[in-house]
Amino acid sequence: RYISMGLTELYTRFPLKDREVFVQQYDNITLYKLSSEYAVTNTESTSSPKYIIDNSSPFTDDIIRVDSAFDEVGVELPINDYSDANSIMMSAYNEVQVPRPVGTNSMSFIYRANHPALDPNVVDPSTVTIELPVSHLTALIFYVGFRYHSFDMTQDAQAVSMAYYQKYTAELQMLEKFNVLNDADTDTNIKIQLGGWV
């Protein structure tokens, strides 16, 4: 349980995994819930229509946040931009409102994905695969130590829990400082070249 919580914390804070989900538009539907309930591969769901096209990779409700949206030809769509008539609106972390849906069009969403769910009843830990860069393992260990000791209300346990939490936050700051995932915004300024100065 604590490992799952720690993985979700790290996957929320760092872009450890991105996924894409495809949505077929319908003329009479303006609100699309990005839920496996509406996925083509979910044969157990009776919800209709099934507008999430996930034949190549089943959608697993692992959205943390939607980062970008694209139309059927790959043009990026603005998100939550009230000044743009073509903007789609995120009414919730997994709900998309399309102001003028067109039944022949589709959309794709790139989203930050959570770690696959871990079975809390597993007996042999060696059978569990955790998808985490080695650089983030120490942070996960500190987080699990913090959570494990935080439920014991004795003064000693709370002191140990706080020590683990401080180590955890320090580890996060170190990971961000050194940008181990190379995810910092470092676009090159090319205005000089565009202006003909170089």
Side-chain angles (χ1 to χ4, degrees):
R1 185 168 74 244
Y2 304 137
I3 292 173
S4 290
M5 292 169 68
L7 288 168
T8 296
E9 286 272 343
L10 291 172
Y11 271 65
T12 300
R13 188 160 187 140
F14 299 98
L16 296 174
K17 185 177 185 181
D18 287 338
R19 290 193 67 193
E20 185 173 21
V21 61
F22 294 90
V23 172
Q24 175 63 51
Q25 293 182 27
Y26 285 81
D27 292 327
N28 60 332
I29 301 177
T30 58
L31 189 65
Y32 297 85
K33 187 171 184 179
L34 304 180
S35 165
S36 60
E37 180 182 355
Y38 299 97
V40 169
T41 57
N42 186 355
T43 55
E44 295 179 3
S45 171
T46 57
S47 296
S48 180
K50 299 289 184 69
Y51 49 73
I52 293 180
I53 312 303
D54 61 341
N55 296 321
S56 58
S57 178
F59 180 65
T60 58
D61 296 313
D62 55 351
I63 291 180
I64 292 176
R65 103 176 167 197
V66 172
D67 288 327
S68 53
F70 299 87
D71 66 15
E72 66 279 356
V73 294
V75 175
E76 187 166 5
L77 299 169
I79 299 175
N80 291 341
D81 185 349
Y82 290 95
S83 64
D84 192 324
N86 295 318
S87 178
I88 61 168
M89 309 306 285
M90 297 293 302
S91 53
Y93 79 98
N94 69 341
E95 286 184 351
V96 180
Q97 188 171 13
V98 181
R100 292 179 303 280
V102 178
T104 55
N105 292 352
S106 62
M107 304 171 289
S108 67
F109 300 94
I110 306 295
Y111 65 91
R112 185 172 294 188
N114 198 356
H115 189 281
L118 300 180
D119 182 358
N121 302 314
V122 69
V123 177
D124 182 5
S126 66
T127 63
V128 178
T129 301
I130 292 180
E131 299 172 15
L132 188 70
V134 104
S135 57
H136 290 62
L137 183 58
T138 302
L140 178 62
I141 291 169
F142 288 153
Y143 182 89
V144 171
F146 149 65
R147 282 293 182 187
Y148 176 78
H149 292 284
S150 68
F151 287 96
D152 185 341
M153 298 311 294
T154 64
Q155 189 172 355
D156 288 345
Q158 289 300 303
V160 171
S161 174
M162 187 52 62
Y164 271 117
Y165 183 74
Q166 290 170 347
K167 290 180 179 181
Y168 170 67
T169 56
E171 188 69 17
L172 293 181
Q173 290 170 358
M174 186 275 296
L175 291 169
E176 289 172 340
K177 177 182 177 182
F178 292 106
N179 189 31
V180 295
L181 295 176
N182 295 317
D183 64 330
D185 294 329
T186 55
D187 292 339
T188 303
N189 186 347
I190 61 169
K191 289 182 180 178
I192 294 175
Q193 290 93 327
L194 293 175
W197 294 97
V198 176

